[in-house]
Amino acid sequence: MQIGVIGLGRMGGNIARRLMDAGHDCVVHDVDKAATERLAGEGATAAGSVAELVASLTAPRAVWVMLPEGEITAKAVAALTEAMSPDDVVIDGGNSFYKDDIRRAGELKAKGLHYVDVGTSGGVWGRERGYCLMIGGETTVVERLDPIFKTLAPGAGEIPPTPGREARDPRVTQGYMHCGPAGSGHFVKMVHNGIEYGLMQAYAEGFDILRNKSSKDLPEDRRYEIDVADVAEVWRRGSVVSSWLLDLTANALAADPALDGFEGRVADSGEGRWTIEAAIEEAAPTPVLAAALFARFRSRQDQSFADRMLSAMRFQFGGHAEAPKGVGEIKKART
């Protein structure tokens, strides 16, 4: 299948590569010409502008936008809207706010265009492992794009089937889901990331307790010198708290047991805040997720081993660098 990809960073570039690995035809564009040229050298068709990318595709077109949430994505969608023809599809695979998706879908529909929002989880490992996809949009359009989603998704792999799912949507067991109309994909991904904050915070605090058991503030007969890297490794094997996130934590601790390569200033990229905002709208109690978000705010004032672990986990799964000292990623309030 032919598809355009705009935004060739850590995830966008690997999305294009995974598609090309499976035989899809990708036309790519990035403001960084070097990134575009790298993909062209790997078999993609390079486009010097959004308009050139659209002109290089055969109608009905589909263009995947993989850019930071906010103004950058808005500008790319606006440029596509001007260049596209009726029945073309804009796919936003970034972490846009779901209410923006609802508005954009309405604006594009008025011009005969389609809008699909895809919450994409997989980070820098996605080319190898595949991407878990949470999709919002019109059913007929999502079905048209199924070859793209099926390629990007990880597939069933070695995960045992869940009993009782035989009559349910088989796409879910392959790692991708049509969640509902416009905005629903990013809404599900938003909550996914809110949960991620809570999981990461729980691991970080638990390992902080283990590490601090050697503190001289404790009576000598109550101190333990616990190897936290070994704890992470043993918990990976048969423990009820095992997970891919714990696998990545074990990687980080094996490479740097004290996590001295991190200072622990932990940014929040928006979805955690939006999850709490949604919880407030719904009057749904979320004390764990709220506390995890507030812990990130506190980490920018003073840092602990737990904060360094959060930084290490974010780097492991997403390649996220620490926020500069004194700087947090502050998002505007959304309505």
Side-chain angles (χ1 to χ4, degrees):
M1 187 172 179
Q2 187 186 48
I3 187 168
V5 180
I6 297 176
L8 307 175
R10 288 191 301 261
M11 288 186 67
N14 279 344
I15 282 173
R17 290 182 178 96
R18 186 171 174 88
L19 290 170
M20 290 190 297
D21 288 344
H24 294 282
D25 178 13
C26 292
V27 181
V28 300
H29 169 69
D30 194 286
V31 292
D32 180 358
K33 292 182 179 179
T36 305
E37 290 170 359
R38 279 195 298 273
L39 266 294
E42 298 174 38
T45 300
S49 66
V50 171
E52 183 181 336
L53 179 142
V54 172
S56 299
L57 296 169
T58 302
R61 306 169 182 86
V63 178
W64 187 296
V65 178
M66 202 68 187
L67 294 169
E69 180 277 332
E71 185 177 354
I72 296 175
T73 291
K75 286 182 177 179
V77 172
L80 285 169
T81 303
E82 291 299 316
M84 283 180 149
S85 304
D87 207 29
D88 290 350
V89 186
V90 175
I91 307 166
D92 182 358
N95 282 325
S96 291
F97 187 46
Y98 78 98
K99 293 181 181 178
D100 290 342
D101 294 321
I102 296 170
R103 173 180 52 77
R104 286 175 186 151
E107 293 170 350
L108 268 66
K109 184 176 182 180
K111 298 187 177 184
L113 303 173
H114 306 288
Y115 183 88
V116 173
D117 54 286
V118 182
T120 308
S121 181
V124 296
W125 299 85
R127 182 183 181 183
E128 174 187 346
R129 290 172 53 96
Y131 301 90
C132 177
L133 305 175
M134 295 141 270
I135 307 161
E138 303 160 79
T139 298
T140 54
V141 177
V142 172
E143 290 176 350
R144 182 202 304 179
L145 297 170
D146 189 75
I148 295 298
F149 301 139
K150 187 174 183 179
T151 295
L152 291 175
E158 298 179 358
I159 299 173
T162 301
R165 282 205 55 91
E166 293 78 12
R168 302 180 71 87
D169 187 348
R171 294 174 295 183
V172 175
T173 62
Q174 300 299 310
Y176 65 112
M177 174 184 177
H178 183 201
C179 302
S184 63
H186 278 151
F187 183 80
V188 174
K189 177 57 161 51
M190 176 191 78
V191 177
H192 165 284
N193 283 23
I195 293 170
E196 182 182 287
Y197 280 33
L199 291 172
M200 292 173 68
Q201 188 66 32
Y203 279 129
E205 291 179 7
F207 278 96
D208 201 31
I209 294 170
L210 292 170
R211 184 174 182 272
N212 289 334
K213 190 59 174 171
S214 63
S215 171
K216 293 181 179 179
D217 294 333
L218 294 172
E220 187 172 358
D221 63 348
R222 298 182 188 176
R223 297 177 205 163
Y224 301 137
E225 291 287 344
I226 296 174
D227 189 321
V228 292
D230 282 357
V231 171
E233 188 64 28
V234 76
W235 282 356
R236 291 179 61 209
R237 304 175 187 281
S239 165
V240 73
V241 299
S242 60
S243 69
W244 183 46
L245 192 55
L246 183 60
D247 295 345
L248 297 175
T249 301
N251 290 347
L253 289 170
D256 181 5
L259 301 180
D260 289 330
F262 300 90
E263 292 188 26
R265 292 186 300 274
V266 188
D268 67 287
S269 54
E271 298 90 342
R273 299 189 188 206
W274 300 339
T275 301
I276 302 308
E277 289 172 6
I280 292 169
E281 288 180 1
E282 300 166 13
T286 55
V288 172
L289 304 191
L293 175 64
F294 297 151
R296 294 194 176 199
F297 298 165
R298 190 226 11 98
S299 77
R300 297 166 202 162
Q301 299 171 356
D302 57 273
Q303 293 87 42
S304 65
F305 180 78
D307 297 323
R308 296 201 298 278
M309 178 161 285
L310 286 172
S311 284
M313 283 188 275
R314 292 182 83 242
F315 182 77
Q316 282 285 323
F317 70 73
H320 302 292
E322 290 181 323
K325 190 172 184 178
V327 175
E329 297 177 27
I330 300 175
K331 299 289 182 180
K332 296 179 180 178
R334 299 286 183 159
T335 57

